[in-house]
Amino acid sequence: MDPLSVRTEIEELIKSLKLDRSRLFEVRKDQWRRILSEIEERFLEKAHHTHGLHWGWNRLKEPHYSVSFADKDYAKLRDIIQDESIWFIAEDCYDKLWLYEGKTATILQVITECCRLNEYYLISKKVQWLLCEDHHDMLHLSGQPIIERWMREESSNP
């Protein structure tokens, strides 16, 4: 494993934080392609079959909403994500994507500790919403449920 990869860092965090592997694990190799395809089909405008999640936040289907996330207020993410278990996609070097499944609280704990994570996606397992933080500290939301919860949170905490 590449010592500079996000995947390696996530594995090291799981071990050092003594996280239960049932709360965050890599999706099996015989399942990830189908799940990734379903996510891309649901959330991305694809002008070409090769257009995937790398820079996918530039091609999100409507409805979508973007906002600065420079404050890195992960507590706000905990408030708007109501699903107990979600998909987590971490973008690694050379545009490689790693697909994880896990408990929202555990995934957010790992995200806050990751140093090499430039872009990631959080997706409901029912593929109803997608959230992405990009390398510009922008948060991109796609899907009505997550956008509505974000707007309610924003209006209640001006």
Side-chain angles (χ1 to χ4, degrees), residues 19 52 61 102 105 125:
L19 299 175
K61 290 180 180 176
K125 290 186 63 187

Side-chain angles (χ1 to χ4, degrees), residues 110-121:
V110 166
I111 288 171
T112 62
E113 297 287 333
C114 265
C115 297
R116 297 184 194 107
L117 189 59
N118 288 324
E119 294 188 1
Y120 64 87
Y121 292 86

Side-chain angles (χ1 to χ4, degrees), residues 112-136:
T112 62
E113 297 287 333
C114 265
C115 297
R116 297 184 194 107
L117 189 59
N118 288 324
E119 294 188 1
Y120 64 87
Y121 292 86
L122 304 176
I123 306 102
S124 88
K125 290 186 63 187
K126 292 181 181 177
V127 197
Q128 295 172 326
W129 57 262
L130 172 146
L131 179 152
C132 170
E133 182 183 356
D134 71 19
H135 62 277
H136 300 292

Side-chain angles (χ1 to χ4, degrees), residues 72-141:
K72 304 282 187 186
D73 185 357
Y74 294 104
K76 193 178 291 184
L77 297 187
R78 278 189 282 280
D79 291 341
I80 66 167
I81 298 174
Q82 297 176 348
D83 306 54
E84 183 181 354
S85 296
I86 58 175
W87 303 118
F88 166 45
I89 299 174
E91 186 166 333
D92 212 336
C93 44
Y94 312 113
D95 309 331
K96 175 68 177 154
L97 301 173
W98 298 104
L99 176 60
Y100 295 86
E101 179 179 338
K103 303 296 182 190
T104 301
T106 304
I107 292 169
L108 290 174
Q109 180 182 5
V110 166
I111 288 171
T112 62
E113 297 287 333
C114 265
C115 297
R116 297 184 194 107
L117 189 59
N118 288 324
E119 294 188 1
Y120 64 87
Y121 292 86
L122 304 176
I123 306 102
S124 88
K125 290 186 63 187
K126 292 181 181 177
V127 197
Q128 295 172 326
W129 57 262
L130 172 146
L131 179 152
C132 170
E133 182 183 356
D134 71 19
H135 62 277
H136 300 292
D137 293 330
M138 292 294 293
L139 198 61
H140 305 275
L141 309 166

Side-chain angles (χ1 to χ4, degrees):
M1 258 194 229
D2 180 353
L4 298 177
S5 84
V6 169
R7 181 182 188 210
T8 301
E9 183 179 22
I10 290 170
E11 283 302 311
E12 289 171 359
L13 284 169
I14 290 170
K15 291 174 188 169
S16 67
L17 297 172
K18 296 179 174 54
L19 299 175
D20 181 342
R21 289 234 179 231
S22 69
R23 298 186 62 79
L24 177 61
F25 54 92
E26 211 173 302
V27 171
R28 290 186 354 220
K29 301 205 182 321
D30 64 335
Q31 295 179 326
W32 71 268
R33 189 175 310 277
R34 177 189 54 79
I35 295 166
L36 201 57
S37 292
E38 184 180 358
I39 291 166
E40 290 174 354
E41 186 67 30
R42 165 65 179 88
F43 293 107
L44 298 183
E45 297 287 349
K46 293 178 82 165
H48 191 269
H49 72 91
T50 60
H51 288 166
L53 281 175
H54 174 65
W55 286 33
W57 42 268
N58 279 321
R59 299 182 310 280
L60 290 174
K61 290 180 180 176
E62 295 290 340
H64 65 83
Y65 181 76
S66 299
V67 64
S68 173
F69 197 60
D71 64 355
K72 304 282 187 186
D73 185 357
Y74 294 104
K76 193 178 291 184
L77 297 187
R78 278 189 282 280
D79 291 341
I80 66 167
I81 298 174
Q82 297 176 348
D83 306 54
E84 183 181 354
S85 296
I86 58 175
W87 303 118
F88 166 45
I89 299 174
E91 186 166 333
D92 212 336
C93 44
Y94 312 113
D95 309 331
K96 175 68 177 154
L97 301 173
W98 298 104
L99 176 60
Y100 295 86
E101 179 179 338
K103 303 296 182 190
T104 301
T106 304
I107 292 169
L108 290 174
Q109 180 182 5
V110 166
I111 288 171
T112 62
E113 297 287 333
C114 265
C115 297
R116 297 184 194 107
L117 189 59
N118 288 324
E119 294 188 1
Y120 64 87
Y121 292 86
L122 304 176
I123 306 102
S124 88
K125 290 186 63 187
K126 292 181 181 177
V127 197
Q128 295 172 326
W129 57 262
L130 172 146
L131 179 152
C132 170
E133 182 183 356
D134 71 19
H135 62 277
H136 300 292
D137 293 330
M138 292 294 293
L139 198 61
H140 305 275
L141 309 166
S142 183
Q144 204 61 43
I146 200 81
I147 293 170
E148 287 175 2
R149 288 193 296 269
W150 179 269
M151 297 298 202
R152 275 196 304 271
E153 183 67 24
E154 285 289 290
S155 66
S156 67
N157 295 318

